[in-house]
Amino acid sequence: DCEAGRLGQQLKLILQMGMVIEHISGKKALKVCRIAGQYGKPRSKPTEIGEDGKEIMSFKGDNINGFDTKDRKWDPERLLLGYWHSAATLNFLRSYAGSGDHSPLQSIEVSDLKSSEHYGTYSEDAQAILGKPLTSESLEFFTSHEAMQLDLEEALTRSSGGKFYNLS
């Protein structure tokens, strides 16, 4: 998942979607990406039955164990590797959004929509977005995740001002 081309395309899509929403609604769009650390998978049961009929640990995601049945034991090293990938991804995304020529973001391709009766409107909207100035707000994004591994993430919960925050 931690690959520059894919991450750049995902961020470009999120930022373009924000530009389209702002253009059409006339309101600011808050862009939140579920990116940079989605390596955990929630499971309803801690174990499952393997192909050989034996009970094995459930696959809980690359942050915890491997998909192959021989890799189902929880491995704390995987958490460290997941943290490293998440940090590297966030560093890349911040750098990508904070530097370089971002004018291609405004070039929203609508040619695949030619068969739509609304193609003219889509094309006009894309041209209008192309004519708007890029601002630091249009390049702003946030990341988040659902804390799907609470049994492992609760150790990262901290109290601040009478409220609790999970810092995973």
Side-chain angles (χ1 to χ4, degrees):
D1 286 354
C2 191
E3 191 272 315
R6 187 187 64 78
L7 292 171
Q9 285 298 99
Q10 282 185 308
L11 185 59
K12 178 182 176 184
L13 178 63
I14 293 292
L15 295 175
Q16 284 181 329
M17 288 171 51
M19 290 176 190
V20 169
I21 290 169
E22 287 181 5
H23 174 73
I24 291 172
S25 71
K27 299 181 186 294
K28 297 285 183 202
L30 178 67
K31 296 161 296 273
V32 180
C33 310
R34 187 175 167 249
I35 194 170
Q38 301 306 311
Y39 307 113
K41 310 288 182 230
R43 296 293 180 248
S44 56
K45 294 188 280 184
T47 60
E48 61 188 62
I49 303 300
E51 292 178 7
D52 60 1
K54 294 182 181 176
E55 188 174 39
I56 58 173
M57 298 295 292
S58 294
F59 173 60
K60 292 185 68 96
D62 293 324
N63 245 9
I64 297 161
N65 59 2
F67 185 74
D68 193 292
T69 55
K70 69 179 179 9
D71 297 325
R72 292 299 178 93
K73 183 178 179 191
W74 289 11
D75 181 359
E77 289 294 319
R78 287 176 171 268
L79 285 174
L80 296 174
L81 189 59
Y83 177 84
W84 182 88
H85 279 104
S86 296
T89 298
L90 284 173
N91 285 339
F92 172 81
L93 293 171
R94 286 184 198 116
S95 177
Y96 182 86
S99 62
D101 177 20
H102 294 295
S103 57
L105 284 175
Q106 295 171 287
S107 299
I108 298 173
E109 182 58 51
V110 295
S111 62
D112 287 341
L113 303 171
K114 281 186 179 177
S115 62
S116 170
E117 64 184 70
H118 303 290
Y119 175 73
T121 303
Y122 299 151
S123 186
E124 289 171 13
D125 289 337
Q127 287 300 314
I129 291 169
L130 184 60
K132 292 182 178 182
L134 272 177
T135 65
S136 60
E137 278 186 346
S138 60
L139 298 172
E140 184 177 55
F141 67 95
F142 300 89
T143 63
S144 178
H145 76 99
E146 297 85 3
M148 294 189 285
Q149 299 296 339
L150 290 177
D151 52 340
L152 300 174
E153 298 181 53
E154 65 186 348
L156 297 172
T157 302
R158 303 289 184 265
S159 174
S160 178
K163 294 183 179 181
F164 290 91
Y165 298 92
N166 186 280
L167 306 175
S168 63

mmCIF file of all heavy atoms in Angstrom, residues 10 31 33 38 43 46 52 55 74 87 92 94 97 102 107 110 127 137 152:
data_model
loop_
_atom_site.group_PDB
_atom_site.id
_atom_site.type_symbol
_atom_site.label_atom_id
_atom_site.label_comp_id
_atom_site.label_asym_id
_atom_site.label_seq_id
_atom_site.Cartn_x
_atom_site.Cartn_y
_atom_site.Cartn_z
ATOM 1 N N GLN A 10 -4.467 8.516 -5.328
ATOM 2 C CA GLN A 10 -5.553 8.551 -4.341
ATOM 3 C C GLN A 10 -5.745 9.958 -3.791
ATOM 4 O O GLN A 10 -6.876 10.431 -3.661
ATOM 5 C CB GLN A 10 -5.267 7.584 -3.199
ATOM 6 C CG GLN A 10 -5.539 6.143 -3.548
ATOM 7 C CD GLN A 10 -5.355 5.236 -2.357
ATOM 8 O OE1 GLN A 10 -4.333 5.269 -1.696
ATOM 9 N NE2 GLN A 10 -6.349 4.413 -2.081
ATOM 10 N N LYS A 31 -11.942 17.357 3.529
ATOM 11 C CA LYS A 31 -11.457 16.145 2.862
ATOM 12 C C LYS A 31 -10.750 15.254 3.882
ATOM 13 O O LYS A 31 -9.700 15.598 4.388
ATOM 14 C CB LYS A 31 -10.541 16.523 1.709
ATOM 15 C CG LYS A 31 -11.300 17.300 0.625
ATOM 16 C CD LYS A 31 -10.411 18.089 -0.294
ATOM 17 C CE LYS A 31 -9.652 19.181 0.342
ATOM 18 N NZ LYS A 31 -10.269 20.472 0.457
ATOM 19 N N CYS A 33 -9.282 11.430 4.440
ATOM 20 C CA CYS A 33 -8.869 10.223 3.731
ATOM 21 C C CYS A 33 -8.701 9.074 4.707
ATOM 22 O O CYS A 33 -8.113 9.249 5.766
ATOM 23 C CB CYS A 33 -7.520 10.435 3.048
ATOM 24 S SG CYS A 33 -7.380 11.910 2.054
ATOM 25 N N GLN A 38 -4.299 1.515 7.168
ATOM 26 C CA GLN A 38 -5.443 0.617 7.239
ATOM 27 C C GLN A 38 -4.977 -0.825 7.109
ATOM 28 O O GLN A 38 -5.254 -1.515 6.148
ATOM 29 C CB GLN A 38 -6.449 0.971 6.144
ATOM 30 C CG GLN A 38 -6.945 2.378 6.240
ATOM 31 C CD GLN A 38 -7.517 2.705 7.607
ATOM 32 O OE1 GLN A 38 -8.319 1.968 8.141
ATOM 33 N NE2 GLN A 38 -7.108 3.805 8.185
ATOM 34 N N ARG A 43 -12.609 -8.696 13.232
ATOM 35 C CA ARG A 43 -13.185 -10.030 13.091
ATOM 36 C C ARG A 43 -14.192 -10.243 14.217
ATOM 37 O O ARG A 43 -14.006 -9.775 15.334
ATOM 38 C CB ARG A 43 -12.101 -11.110 13.152
ATOM 39 C CG ARG A 43 -11.102 -11.036 12.014
ATOM 40 C CD ARG A 43 -11.791 -11.384 10.686
ATOM 41 N NE ARG A 43 -10.865 -11.320 9.571
ATOM 42 C CZ ARG A 43 -10.933 -10.413 8.602
ATOM 43 N NH1 ARG A 43 -11.848 -9.484 8.629
ATOM 44 N NH2 ARG A 43 -10.077 -10.433 7.599
ATOM 45 N N PRO A 46 -12.246 -14.555 17.433
ATOM 46 C CA PRO A 46 -10.783 -14.583 17.445
ATOM 47 C C PRO A 46 -10.184 -15.761 16.678
ATOM 48 O O PRO A 46 -9.018 -15.742 16.323
ATOM 49 C CB PRO A 46 -10.432 -14.672 18.930
ATOM 50 C CG PRO A 46 -11.641 -15.256 19.579
ATOM 51 C CD PRO A 46 -12.817 -14.813 18.751
ATOM 52 N N ASP A 52 -7.893 -27.400 6.849
ATOM 53 C CA ASP A 52 -7.666 -28.756 7.353
ATOM 54 C C ASP A 52 -8.638 -29.136 8.469
ATOM 55 O O ASP A 52 -8.537 -30.205 9.059
ATOM 56 C CB ASP A 52 -6.231 -28.913 7.841
ATOM 57 C CG ASP A 52 -5.878 -27.951 8.978
ATOM 58 O OD1 ASP A 52 -6.758 -27.165 9.406
ATOM 59 O OD2 ASP A 52 -4.727 -27.987 9.435
ATOM 60 N N GLU A 55 -8.838 -25.492 14.253
ATOM 61 C CA GLU A 55 -9.076 -24.113 14.669
ATOM 62 C C GLU A 55 -7.755 -23.335 14.612
ATOM 63 O O GLU A 55 -6.732 -23.801 15.101
ATOM 64 C CB GLU A 55 -9.636 -24.086 16.080
ATOM 65 C CG GLU A 55 -10.083 -22.705 16.527
ATOM 66 C CD GLU A 55 -10.765 -22.719 17.885
ATOM 67 O OE1 GLU A 55 -10.310 -23.462 18.774
ATOM 68 O OE2 GLU A 55 -11.740 -21.988 18.036
ATOM 69 N N TRP A 74 -0.010 -13.850 16.370
ATOM 70 C CA TRP A 74 0.166 -12.404 16.445
ATOM 71 C C TRP A 74 1.647 -12.092 16.562
ATOM 72 O O TRP A 74 2.374 -12.728 17.332
ATOM 73 C CB TRP A 74 -0.588 -11.835 17.623
ATOM 74 C CG TRP A 74 -2.083 -11.853 17.456
ATOM 75 C CD1 TRP A 74 -2.794 -12.497 16.490
ATOM 76 C CD2 TRP A 74 -3.027 -11.195 18.279
ATOM 77 N NE1 TRP A 74 -4.130 -12.282 16.654
ATOM 78 C CE2 TRP A 74 -4.307 -11.491 17.749
ATOM 79 C CE3 TRP A 74 -2.931 -10.402 19.398
ATOM 80 C CZ2 TRP A 74 -5.469 -10.999 18.303
ATOM 81 C CZ3 TRP A 74 -4.094 -9.908 19.951
ATOM 82 C CH2 TRP A 74 -5.352 -10.202 19.409
ATOM 83 N N ALA A 87 3.713 6.132 8.883
ATOM 84 C CA ALA A 87 4.483 7.378 8.974
ATOM 85 C C ALA A 87 5.069 7.749 7.619
ATOM 86 O O ALA A 87 5.034 8.923 7.216
ATOM 87 C CB ALA A 87 5.589 7.232 10.020
ATOM 88 N N PHE A 92 4.955 11.215 2.869
ATOM 89 C CA PHE A 92 4.843 11.369 1.416
ATOM 90 C C PHE A 92 3.659 12.261 1.050
ATOM 91 O O PHE A 92 3.780 13.181 0.234
ATOM 92 C CB PHE A 92 4.703 10.002 0.731
ATOM 93 C CG PHE A 92 4.396 10.130 -0.733
ATOM 94 C CD1 PHE A 92 5.416 10.374 -1.639
ATOM 95 C CD2 PHE A 92 3.096 10.053 -1.193
ATOM 96 C CE1 PHE A 92 5.134 10.520 -2.984
ATOM 97 C CE2 PHE A 92 2.805 10.204 -2.538
ATOM 98 C CZ PHE A 92 3.831 10.436 -3.444
ATOM 99 N N ARG A 94 2.035 14.519 2.823
ATOM 100 C CA ARG A 94 2.259 15.924 3.213
ATOM 101 C C ARG A 94 3.201 16.612 2.230
ATOM 102 O O ARG A 94 2.974 17.749 1.828
ATOM 103 C CB ARG A 94 2.841 15.990 4.627
ATOM 104 C CG ARG A 94 1.857 15.693 5.712
ATOM 105 C CD ARG A 94 2.518 15.877 7.082
ATOM 106 N NE ARG A 94 1.765 15.210 8.109
ATOM 107 C CZ ARG A 94 2.210 14.199 8.835
ATOM 108 N NH1 ARG A 94 3.426 13.738 8.678
ATOM 109 N NH2 ARG A 94 1.448 13.642 9.736
ATOM 110 N N ALA A 97 1.412 17.133 -1.182
ATOM 111 C CA ALA A 97 0.436 18.228 -1.156
ATOM 112 C C ALA A 97 1.089 19.583 -0.929
ATOM 113 O O ALA A 97 0.552 20.610 -1.341
ATOM 114 C CB ALA A 97 -0.610 17.973 -0.072
ATOM 115 N N HIS A 102 0.668 21.910 -8.728
ATOM 116 C CA HIS A 102 -0.587 21.214 -8.497
ATOM 117 C C HIS A 102 -1.664 21.585 -9.513
ATOM 118 O O HIS A 102 -2.801 21.168 -9.368
ATOM 119 C CB HIS A 102 -1.104 21.490 -7.087
ATOM 120 C CG HIS A 102 -0.217 20.931 -6.030
ATOM 121 N ND1 HIS A 102 -0.013 19.586 -5.877
ATOM 122 C CD2 HIS A 102 0.552 21.535 -5.100
ATOM 123 C CE1 HIS A 102 0.833 19.372 -4.891
ATOM 124 N NE2 HIS A 102 1.187 20.547 -4.404
ATOM 125 N N SER A 107 -7.421 19.824 -13.628
ATOM 126 C CA SER A 107 -7.824 19.235 -14.907
ATOM 127 C C SER A 107 -8.634 17.980 -14.644
ATOM 128 O O SER A 107 -8.091 16.882 -14.546
ATOM 129 C CB SER A 107 -6.595 18.901 -15.754
ATOM 130 O OG SER A 107 -5.870 20.063 -16.038
ATOM 131 N N VAL A 110 -13.591 14.535 -17.935
ATOM 132 C CA VAL A 110 -14.998 14.129 -17.968
ATOM 133 C C VAL A 110 -15.369 13.453 -19.285
ATOM 134 O O VAL A 110 -16.536 13.144 -19.504
ATOM 135 C CB VAL A 110 -15.941 15.339 -17.703
ATOM 136 C CG1 VAL A 110 -15.767 15.877 -16.291
ATOM 137 C CG2 VAL A 110 -15.741 16.425 -18.735
ATOM 138 N N GLN A 127 -14.496 22.937 -16.547
ATOM 139 C CA GLN A 127 -13.813 24.140 -17.047
ATOM 140 C C GLN A 127 -13.809 25.250 -15.992
ATOM 141 O O GLN A 127 -12.822 25.970 -15.842
ATOM 142 C CB GLN A 127 -14.479 24.637 -18.338
ATOM 143 C CG GLN A 127 -14.184 23.767 -19.538
ATOM 144 C CD GLN A 127 -12.697 23.696 -19.822
ATOM 145 O OE1 GLN A 127 -11.985 24.687 -19.834
ATOM 146 N NE2 GLN A 127 -12.214 22.478 -20.034
ATOM 147 N N GLU A 137 -6.014 25.902 1.091
ATOM 148 C CA GLU A 137 -7.209 25.197 1.570
ATOM 149 C C GLU A 137 -7.637 24.094 0.608
ATOM 150 O O GLU A 137 -8.105 23.045 1.029
ATOM 151 C CB GLU A 137 -8.374 26.169 1.774
ATOM 152 C CG GLU A 137 -8.342 26.906 3.075
ATOM 153 C CD GLU A 137 -9.598 27.746 3.275
ATOM 154 O OE1 GLU A 137 -10.357 27.971 2.312
ATOM 155 O OE2 GLU A 137 -9.816 28.166 4.420
ATOM 156 N N LEU A 152 -6.073 -4.170 20.758
ATOM 157 C CA LEU A 152 -4.643 -3.882 20.666
ATOM 158 C C LEU A 152 -4.349 -2.389 20.803
ATOM 159 O O LEU A 152 -3.274 -1.990 21.226
ATOM 160 C CB LEU A 152 -4.085 -4.388 19.340
ATOM 161 C CG LEU A 152 -4.235 -5.888 19.110
ATOM 162 C CD1 LEU A 152 -3.783 -6.252 17.713
ATOM 163 C CD2 LEU A 152 -3.452 -6.663 20.149
#
